[in-house]
Amino acid sequence: VWFQAYVVAGYFHEPSPLSNNLYVGLYRSDKSMVSQQLIRVDLGAGHGVLDLPDDLASCHYVLRASTNWMTYFG
């Protein structure tokens, strides 16, 4: 899965100067992790790739991305 991510702050959604790392994970419906990636964010933007296993079953998945700020400060 290729992805592009934008990290913004404030009411005007300007690029965030606070976060340089973005944690991206793909989770099954039972909340077990399938794949994860730590990507570098520069000037509010970053991109990455999540490798999917060949034996990935058909079900519902959740793609979640968060910064340290989001994890520790809500």
Side-chain angles (χ1 to χ4, degrees), residues 9 16 32 34-36 39 43 45-47 54-56 59 64 67-68:
S16 175
S32 62
V34 175
S35 183
Q36 66 179 351
I39 66 166
L43 301 174
H47 62 278
D54 292 334
D55 61 347
L56 192 63
C59 78
R64 180 179 174 207
T67 64
N68 279 336

Side-chain angles (χ1 to χ4, degrees), residues 7-73:
V7 180
V8 296
Y11 179 76
F12 295 107
H13 300 287
E14 296 173 345
S16 175
L18 301 175
S19 300
N20 293 323
N21 294 321
L22 184 67
Y23 302 90
V24 180
L26 182 67
Y27 298 87
R28 290 185 184 92
S29 56
D30 65 0
K31 299 184 181 178
S32 62
M33 184 178 293
V34 175
S35 183
Q36 66 179 351
Q37 181 76 31
L38 170 64
I39 66 166
R40 175 86 175 148
V41 176
D42 291 315
L43 301 174
H47 62 278
V49 176
L50 285 175
D51 293 322
L52 302 179
D54 292 334
D55 61 347
L56 192 63
S58 176
C59 78
H60 292 275
Y61 293 91
V62 174
L63 183 66
R64 180 179 174 207
S66 63
T67 64
N68 279 336
W69 182 266
M70 294 167 71
T71 301
Y72 298 117
F73 299 105

